Amino acid sequence: VSGVFLKKIKFSKEQKSEYLDDLFEFLRIPSITRDTEAVKKAAEWIYEYLEETADNIEIIYTKGNPVIIAEWKLDTRLSAKTKVPTILFYGHYDVQPPEPLEEWISPSFEPEIRNGRIYARGVGDNKGQLLANVLGILWVLREVKMGANVKFVFDGEEELGSPNLEDALTSRKEFFKDVDLIIVSDGPADPTWKPVLEFGARGIQTFQIHLQTAQGDVHSGNFGGIQPNPVWDVITLLKTMRDDNGYVTIDNYYRDTTPPSKTANEAARKLDRKPETYKEQLGISYFGGEQDLPLEDRLMFRPTLNIRGIKAGEVQENAKTMIPKEVIVEIDMRLVPHQTPQQMVEIILNHFEKLKQQSERYAQIIDRCKITFDASFHPVFTPMDLPWTSLLKEAITEGFNEEPLLIPMAGGSLPLYSLQKVTNNKPMYIIPYAQPDEDNHAPNENMMVDWFLKGIKTAIYIIEKIGTGSQKS
Ligand SMILES: [Zn+2]
């Protein structure tokens, strides 16, 4: 039942300024993830903001910051007659620290509009996007009758990787039982400024190799040729992990990956990413990664092995002619379906084990290495050919006045696996409302007023398209 009556949503001037007032109030709470008091205030703000309209709302206290769950039964008369779909929205209300403060044109927690953009820490990531979905729900509740249940998860620790989200959600398992699909609005839209509908996100597993070969830094003349240089030795190890064409040479590294479906492949080709655009945007003259694969595949369907940093010795103004005693290398691996963080840990450990068996030289180096594994997210993905796809596509097209790009897999990682897990693997869609230059995590983070309002409209259309038996109240 398509609700033609919603074709042209127009917000009045008063309505718009009311929306912005609410957003500004929310933005003024400096809910930096590690500032537990401020995050608690933001949680309470959400609770008070929704208490009156929600059929259910609860602040779940965790070992870290609270998670809030809320529910609206949009029309109980309609849902009494038939089973109506349940949409679960997810957003996070914690924000990144605003430093360096001196680079902000206006203070990070005093929102200000300049040139059609709202400037404040957390406006794009993720308070503005979160509130757009909330305001969409409240609009529907007030203006029309719609056969749908809407639920919401408000996460207070996303910027730390949501370490307590899974426990919180699992403790309220019943709440998620009837969820049919999950909508996440986070991250920026496409670099081409088109809205997007994303069907998944790569996972991640990081690790560190700490190689200490001696008790101290020594003179590179006096002991050169005797004291082992840990930088050379770690390079020896790194060279065993990847070939010169960008292919990972670790046994089983690609074992659990599955080639993209036909639909995903076609969608990837349609994106038609131009090498020249990337070269210009990134200031690069050649590409990294697996040299003979299409760019779209490398951005979405392939795991990566990235050296994110190496620390050893001194250079430039602190340069010394010495042999450093240690080196630290940190690596992140982006994972694709159906790789899991646990499997990748095993694969990496096996690699070092195998090297040790291979030669005495490798064994000497590896015996002095401390290898530790840190942050991880599972990859998440949703098949592209479910019936929700066309409905969501329509909703975004109406909300943004432009057809969205369909992106099989976002390059970045989101801590969303627990949402899929607690809902028994329900399809999840990522629909960002922030424009591509939102500068999230950076100074002068911003969200365009226009995109914020389009986000609210999109949320309304999502509920309309997914819901049943819509009618004028
Ligand atoms: Zn973020």
Side-chain angles (χ1 to χ4, degrees), residues 240-251:
T240 66
M241 299 169 91
R242 212 182 81 138
D243 70 19
D244 292 344
N245 290 316
Y247 282 87
V248 178
T249 48
I250 297 167
D251 276 358

Side-chain angles (χ1 to χ4, degrees), residues 92 96 125 158-159 186 440-441:
H92 69 90
Q96 283 276 326
D125 185 14
E158 197 270 351
E159 300 294 1
D186 200 2
N440 46 338
H441 296 205

Side-chain angles (χ1 to χ4, degrees), residues 103-114:
E103 287 187 28
W104 284 79
I105 294 169
S106 52
S108 52
F109 293 109
E110 290 169 31
E112 186 177 292
I113 297 181
R114 297 191 301 274

Side-chain angles (χ1 to χ4, degrees), residues 387-408:
W388 305 120
T389 300
S390 61
L391 297 174
L392 293 171
K393 202 176 144 188
E394 281 172 32
I396 299 167
T397 307
E398 286 182 32
F400 276 84
N401 280 321
E402 188 173 4
E403 258 196 43
L405 292 176
L406 305 190
I407 300 192

Side-chain angles (χ1 to χ4, degrees), residues 50-190:
L50 302 176
E51 204 184 359
E52 256 174 55
T53 57
D55 291 290
N56 276 311
I57 181 161
E58 186 192 355
I59 301 184
I60 306 170
Y61 293 95
T62 72
K63 275 181 278 168
N65 295 329
V67 173
I68 305 159
I69 52 174
E71 173 178 16
W72 294 263
K73 297 182 169 103
L74 292 180
D75 188 345
T76 43
R77 294 170 316 167
L78 284 170
S79 46
K81 269 183 257 162
T82 45
K83 146 107 182 77
V84 300
T86 299
I87 310 167
L88 175 66
F89 286 96
Y90 164 93
H92 69 90
Y93 64 94
D94 63 319
V95 304
Q96 283 276 326
E99 282 79 8
L101 294 178
E102 64 279 7
E103 287 187 28
W104 284 79
I105 294 169
S106 52
S108 52
F109 293 109
E110 290 169 31
E112 186 177 292
I113 297 181
R114 297 191 301 274
N115 300 321
R117 291 169 188 250
I118 310 154
Y119 287 86
R121 168 55 85 229
V123 63
D125 185 14
N126 176 243
K127 287 174 172 169
Q129 303 202 47
L130 173 156
L131 201 65
N133 280 329
V134 166
L135 291 169
I137 296 166
L138 298 182
W139 187 95
V140 172
L141 202 60
R142 218 177 30 241
E143 304 289 334
V144 287
K145 294 291 169 211
M146 210 85 90
N149 289 337
V150 179
K151 298 188 173 184
F152 220 118
V153 169
F154 302 92
D155 185 357
E157 286 186 311
E158 197 270 351
E159 300 294 1
L160 287 182
S162 308
N164 299 295
L165 184 62
E166 186 172 338
D167 280 352
L169 301 187
T170 316
S171 72
R172 301 295 185 277
K173 243 186 154 145
E174 280 300 304
F175 179 83
F176 300 97
K177 236 181 151 178
D178 59 352
V179 168
D180 292 295
L181 74 163
I182 308 160
I183 307 281
V184 176
S185 298
D186 200 2
D190 195 69

